Amino acid sequence: RSKVDKLVEQQAKLNDTLRDKEQQVSKDLEEIEQVFRRISQLQDKLNALHEQLQSVHVYDEHIAQTEQLLITLNSQVQQAAEESKLLVAQTTAHYQAKQNQLPSDIAQEFTALELLAERVQVTMETKEKDFKRAKTVRTEYVDGVDEVQRWLLQAEVQVQERSLTPTQMKELLQRINHEITAIYERFTLVKTNGQLIIENCRNSEEKTLVQTTIDQLAASLAQVRGWLDEKKQAVGDSLDAWTRFMNLYQIVMSWASEKRNFIDQTIELRTLPEARNKLNDYVTAVKSIKPIVKHLSEMDKENWLGKQESQIAGFERDQKSHSKHKLEERQMELRAK
């Protein structure tokens, strides 16, 4: 009987041990299944985020919305990556605490999860860089178009200005010609950025608008450059005309000053020969008016005469009348003697 009791007791202990083992195995299996479920959830989350990232169009015209979407996705990607790291760390620590090795199938899944999280993070970084580049392209394009259009408007007004002297216009043209080099460089950047927008955006209307804007700017710049060339030629001719006018003006004014002094001289004639000599001087002075009139005519052709011509012409008439009157008076005085 003692042997039977002993066997029964051993059987009971064995049953208890088996039950404990069964419970432990069930618990271990449940833990493993929980880990796998959590891995699967994180993989699904990361894959979904990856798909969302790939669907983001960085050249979309709604920049603010795209930027906000990327901020939200980045937060979700970082959270999923942290959750993945935490799961790996906690699970590894759990098995180490029990002095057990991490199951190989879990280790393989963890490796795959870490690689997936890394891939999604790289995609996130790439998408952010692409968006930053696209945003810069759009911003530089808009700013460039505004700058070129403002310059064109200002240049068109200045080039058509008609109140400037040739010298002032020459200085203006030199400044505009200097500016247009920088504007063409800016326009080149506008074309480059515009082409990137056309190639990458999905809105056909925007593609057409960008291309039309570039074509219009190119035509306007070519027109201003044509105006500059025409104005340069016109200013060159005007400066030549102005130089000729000023030379003639100096001749006329010098003559007028000389003759003014001449007719203002007091006439003192004592003999008839002196009177004749003085008369010859006045006749010569009157004859000298002829080339001056020719100069005035040339000045008038240059269209620079204005008030000077009227003043000088009036002076000529006064001189002729004054000279003739004074000579007649002196001749009468001499005859009376």
Side-chain angles (χ1 to χ4, degrees):
R1 183 178 176 84
S2 60
K3 289 183 178 180
V4 172
D5 292 339
K6 190 174 182 179
L7 287 173
V8 170
E9 183 180 352
Q10 289 177 347
Q11 179 66 38
K13 289 181 179 180
L14 181 60
N15 289 338
D16 291 339
T17 301
L18 288 174
R19 279 195 298 271
D20 291 342
K21 289 291 185 181
E22 182 182 8
Q23 291 176 355
Q24 184 61 45
V25 169
S26 297
K27 184 179 179 181
D28 290 343
L29 286 174
E30 177 61 26
E31 289 177 351
I32 291 173
E33 288 176 356
Q34 287 180 352
V35 171
F36 275 113
R37 282 196 298 271
R38 186 60 182 143
I39 290 174
S40 179
Q41 290 172 353
L42 288 171
Q43 286 176 334
D44 290 343
K45 186 175 183 179
L46 287 168
N47 283 323
L49 287 170
H50 192 259
E51 289 181 6
Q52 283 184 273
L53 283 172
Q54 288 182 319
S55 68
V56 174
H57 181 48
V58 296
Y59 273 91
D60 188 273
E61 61 268 30
H62 303 102
I63 297 176
Q65 294 180 11
T66 303
E67 188 170 22
Q68 185 57 50
L69 174 59
L70 287 175
I71 291 173
T72 301
L73 288 175
N74 183 58
S75 176
Q76 294 175 352
V77 167
Q78 297 306 322
Q79 181 182 357
E82 287 299 322
E83 289 176 358
S84 299
K85 289 180 181 179
L86 183 61
L87 176 63
V88 172
Q90 288 178 341
T91 304
T92 302
H94 174 70
Y95 279 95
Q96 287 177 346
K98 295 192 299 183
Q99 296 183 346
N100 290 333
Q101 189 176 3
L102 188 68
S104 60
D105 50 353
I106 292 180
Q108 291 176 356
E109 290 297 320
F110 277 167
T111 299
L113 180 63
E114 289 172 335
L115 290 174
L116 176 59
E118 182 179 351
R119 182 160 66 95
V120 175
Q121 286 178 304
V122 170
T123 301
M124 182 75 244
E125 292 175 1
T126 302
K127 189 65 69 170
E128 286 179 325
K129 290 179 181 178
D130 291 344
F131 172 72
K132 184 178 180 180
R133 190 179 302 111
K135 182 180 179 181
T136 299
V137 166
R138 282 189 171 278
T139 301
E140 288 184 350
Y141 169 78
V142 173
D143 292 345
V145 169
D146 289 343
E147 181 181 343
V148 174
Q149 286 178 336
R150 283 196 306 270
W151 183 88
L152 281 170
L153 181 61
Q154 182 181 12
E156 288 174 7
V157 172
Q158 291 176 335
V159 169
Q160 300 302 323
E161 177 61 54
R162 298 184 181 278
S163 63
L164 301 178
T165 65
T167 302
Q168 291 173 326
M169 179 57 74
K170 180 180 179 181
E171 293 174 354
L172 173 64
L173 293 178
Q174 287 175 339
R175 178 171 60 80
I176 293 178
N177 193 59
H178 176 72
E179 291 175 354
I180 202 171
T181 301
I183 289 298
Y184 260 101
E185 291 178 358
R186 194 76 165 103
F187 176 61
T188 299
L189 183 59
V190 167
K191 288 196 297 183
T192 301
N193 289 328
Q195 190 60 39
L196 286 172
I197 294 173
I198 291 172
E199 292 173 357
N200 291 283
C201 78
R202 297 171 181 172
N203 188 327
S204 59
E205 292 182 0
E206 185 180 22
K207 290 176 184 283
T208 302
L209 177 60
V210 171
Q211 187 61 59
T212 300
T213 300
I214 291 174
D215 293 342
Q216 289 176 345
L217 290 178
S220 297
L221 283 170
Q223 186 178 41
V224 170
R225 174 154 279 179
W227 285 341
L228 283 176
D229 293 338
E230 292 175 3
K231 284 290 184 180
K232 285 178 186 177
Q233 182 63 42
V235 166
D237 295 341
S238 297
L239 285 173
D240 291 341
W242 177 252
T243 301
R244 289 194 298 271
F245 171 82
M246 290 306 298
N247 289 337
L248 293 173
Y249 176 78
Q250 292 298 329
I251 292 173
V252 171
M253 295 309 295
S254 177
W255 173 88
S257 177
E258 178 185 337
K259 294 303 178 281
R260 174 69 69 182
N261 293 332
F262 175 72
I263 63 176
D264 285 343
Q265 293 176 1
T266 301
I267 299 177
E268 295 181 358
L269 302 175
R270 298 179 180 82
T271 65
L272 187 58
E274 288 181 355
R276 287 173 179 167
N277 289 336
K278 184 59 68 174
L279 178 60
N280 288 334
D281 291 341
Y282 275 98
V283 170
T284 301
V286 171
K287 288 181 179 179
S288 69
I289 294 176
K290 185 175 181 180
I292 296 302
V293 172
K294 183 179 179 181
H295 292 336
L296 291 174
S297 177
E298 292 178 8
M299 292 167 70
D300 186 41
K301 289 179 182 178
E302 300 297 348
N303 201 24
W304 291 103
L305 199 50
K307 293 182 179 179
Q308 288 85 350
E309 180 182 12
S310 299
Q311 292 173 352
I312 295 172
F315 171 71
E316 293 172 8
R317 292 191 297 271
D318 293 343
Q319 183 187 27
K320 290 180 180 179
S321 176
H322 182 70
S323 300
K324 183 178 180 182
H325 181 68
K326 292 192 73 172
L327 282 172
E328 288 175 348
E329 286 181 349
R330 295 307 297 165
Q331 285 177 338
M332 290 177 66
E333 289 176 1
L334 288 171
R335 290 194 184 99
K337 291 180 179 180

